[in-house]
């Protein structure tokens, strides 16, 4: 199976885990230095995707109530890391967002500008 | 004139509310930020119940307070909200003590962002922010500028060593 296999993280009011080809964040990220726990997790996700030659992943943030700008930086880092891969190794990231958390519309729309060919936003009710 | 309330919480947040005005003092404590963010957002929802983008106030409160907590001294941080008598314009003021070096950097950054369109600036800051992760992301102001469409300004009171960042945000009516 080409499923993601990354150890789940539960830290400072946020849970980060993978299920199949979906990365799931829930809770709220207000931490002053979220890179302490987000960076190792996102690096492991990226390495796992490349190693298993996965071409498309979902990033489900429908239960993520808030993400501060330091947390946004970690997602930026991930998207740009993917963008630097050779074309044959690049993978599609589908951001699965919720209309209930209105910050997601504006924040994710901007993130997509970083790589419009390999990122996509899906809004759910 | 609306009813005034004054609350002192265990986390050191003091709240004072009149008709469409808030004046809050928080301790230099990271845990006060989500509390203040929620309070200001709820206040805005209650006062402007026909607006669909009240979350913008939460984003602005959170990011401006994060900056203030990072760069202020030990003193309290003051955050004020004013709603214009007519229309949907809200003005947030965040006031904190800081040193001259940080105040100059803040003034330069706000001058820089006001000279460029918000999306270009935000993307630029996103790319810059990952170059040195030991430093602050520096994304907060760019986020407020773009995602809340705020007009940002800053004043430094040299003698008192106080810096005041002002964000003026116009919310949209649901039917618009």
């Amino acid at each position: 199976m080409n499923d993601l296999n990354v150890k789940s993280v539960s830290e400072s009011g946020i849970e980060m885990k993978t299920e199949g080809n979906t990365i799931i964040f829930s809770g709220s990220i207000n931490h002053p230095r979220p890179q302490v726990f987000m960076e190792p997790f996102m690096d492991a996700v990226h390495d796992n995707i490349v190693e298993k030659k996965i071409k498309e992943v979902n990033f489900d943030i429908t239960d993520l109530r808030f993400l501060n700008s330091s947390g946004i930086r970690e997602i930026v880092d991930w998207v740009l890391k993917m963008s630097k891969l050779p074309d044959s190794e690049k993978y599609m990231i589908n951001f699965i967002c919720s209309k209930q958390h209105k910050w997601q519309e504006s924040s994710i729309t901007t993130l997509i500008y970083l790589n419009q060919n390999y990122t996509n936003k899906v809004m759910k009710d | 004139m609306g009813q005034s309330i004054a609350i002192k919480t265990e986390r050191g947040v003091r709240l004072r509310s009149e008709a469409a005005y808030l004046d809050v003092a928080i301790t230099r404590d990271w845990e006060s930020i989500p509390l203040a963010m929620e309070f200001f957002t709820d206040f805005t929802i209650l006062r402007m119940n026909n607006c669909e983008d009240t979350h913008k106030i939460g984003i602005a409160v959170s990011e401006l307070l994060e900056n203030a907590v990072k760069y202020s001294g030990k003193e309290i941080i003051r955050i004020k909200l004013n709603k214009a008598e007519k229309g949907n314009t809200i003005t947030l003021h965040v006031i904190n003590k800081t040193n001259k070096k940080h105040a100059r950097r803040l003034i330069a950054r706000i001058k820089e962002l006001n000279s460029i369109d918000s999306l270009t600036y935000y993307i630029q800051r996103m790319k810059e922010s990952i170059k040195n992760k030991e430093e602050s992301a520096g994304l907060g102001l760019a986020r407020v500028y773009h995602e809340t469409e705020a007009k940002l300004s800053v004043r430094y009171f040299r003698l008192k060593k106080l810096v005041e960042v002002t964000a003026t945000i116009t919310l949209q009516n649901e039917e618009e």
Side-chain angles (χ1 to χ4, degrees):
Chain A
M1 288 287 283
N2 268 354
D3 285 351
L4 291 168
N5 183 17
V6 177
K7 195 180 172 194
S8 300
V9 174
S10 185
E11 170 84 39
S12 304
I14 177 168
E15 190 181 12
M16 304 182 293
K17 62 182 181 180
T18 60
E19 278 178 15
N21 282 359
T22 301
I23 302 124
I24 303 167
F25 276 27
S26 57
S28 186
I29 301 181
N30 306 95
H31 196 278
R33 286 177 55 81
Q35 63 266 40
V36 171
F37 53 90
M38 282 182 75
E39 188 175 334
F41 181 83
M42 297 313 292
D43 282 351
V45 164
H46 174 77
D47 293 346
N48 209 230
I49 294 168
V50 173
E51 186 190 326
K52 295 187 172 181
K53 301 185 186 341
I54 295 171
K55 298 317 273 176
E56 186 164 356
V57 293
N58 296 321
F59 185 28
D60 184 341
I61 55 169
T62 51
D63 287 326
L64 187 62
R65 296 191 305 278
F66 189 67
L67 178 65
N68 65 7
S69 53
S70 302
I72 287 177
R73 171 163 68 173
E74 296 308 309
I75 311 300
V76 169
D77 198 14
W78 177 40
V79 171
L80 293 180
K81 211 171 267 178
M82 177 276 291
S83 303
K84 285 178 187 162
L85 290 170
D87 281 352
S88 60
E89 291 180 29
K90 283 191 176 78
Y91 52 90
M92 186 79 188
I93 303 170
N94 299 312
F95 289 91
I96 315 294
C97 306
S98 167
K99 287 179 184 170
Q100 305 298 316
H101 305 304
K102 291 186 175 175
W103 66 269
Q104 295 184 357
E105 170 78 46
S106 56
S107 298
I108 303 305
T109 299
T110 313
L111 270 168
I112 282 173
Y113 279 104
L114 293 170
N115 189 331
Q116 295 183 69
N117 293 327
Y118 285 90
T119 57
N120 181 35
K121 181 185 71 183
V122 179
M123 294 301 296
K124 287 195 168 179
D125 286 329
Chain B
M1 178 73 74
Q3 192 182 6
S4 295
I5 55 167
I7 303 166
K8 189 168 185 178
T9 75
E10 288 177 0
R11 285 178 165 173
V13 180
R14 287 185 291 123
L15 311 170
R16 188 159 68 85
S17 166
E18 290 175 3
Y21 177 77
L22 281 176
D23 188 348
V24 175
I26 71 163
T27 51
R28 191 176 174 271
D29 170 8
W30 204 270
E31 289 183 2
S32 297
I33 298 172
L35 189 69
M37 177 186 169
E38 194 176 335
F39 182 80
F40 275 81
T41 306
D42 286 352
F43 179 87
T44 309
I45 290 168
L46 285 171
R47 289 290 187 271
M48 305 176 82
N49 59 8
N50 64 336
C51 289
E52 61 176 14
D53 49 359
T54 48
H55 69 286
K56 288 178 177 176
I57 301 303
I59 290 176
V61 167
S62 175
E63 298 296 350
L64 297 179
L65 283 181
E66 283 196 16
N67 275 350
V69 168
K70 277 180 203 164
Y71 300 111
S72 65
K74 287 179 181 174
E75 293 81 2
I76 58 161
I77 296 158
R78 193 168 173 195
I79 176 162
K80 296 193 288 183
L81 178 152
N82 278 299
K83 182 196 170 297
E85 217 164 278
K86 288 180 182 173
N88 297 332
T89 299
I90 282 181
T91 307
L92 290 169
H93 304 269
V94 175
I95 304 150
N96 59 279
K97 273 208 168 181
T98 195
N99 58 42
K100 202 173 175 181
K101 187 182 167 192
H102 174 65
R104 277 184 176 162
R105 203 165 60 174
L106 195 55
I107 290 165
R109 186 151 284 182
I110 289 180
K111 189 178 175 189
E112 182 190 16
L113 68 79
N114 280 327
S115 69
I116 192 170
D117 85 89
S118 67
L119 178 61
T120 306
Y121 185 74
Y122 196 15
I123 300 283
Q124 201 179 82
R125 289 308 314 163
M126 281 182 171
K127 289 178 178 172
E128 282 294 315
S129 74
I130 62 162
K131 289 182 180 169
N132 185 355
K133 289 230 194 147
E134 289 310 306
E135 286 188 6
S136 165
L139 271 181
L141 285 174
R143 185 185 198 191
V144 173
Y145 183 42
H146 180 66
E147 292 191 28
T148 76
E149 299 170 86
K151 286 179 185 163
L152 288 163
S153 62
V154 59
R155 286 195 300 173
Y156 183 57
F157 302 93
R158 196 165 45 91
L159 293 177
K160 291 185 175 176
K161 293 181 181 169
L162 284 174
V163 70
E164 177 181 14
V165 176
T166 301
T168 305
I169 299 168
T170 301
L171 303 178
Q172 302 297 312
N173 284 327
E174 277 176 353
E175 63 269 21
E176 282 177 4

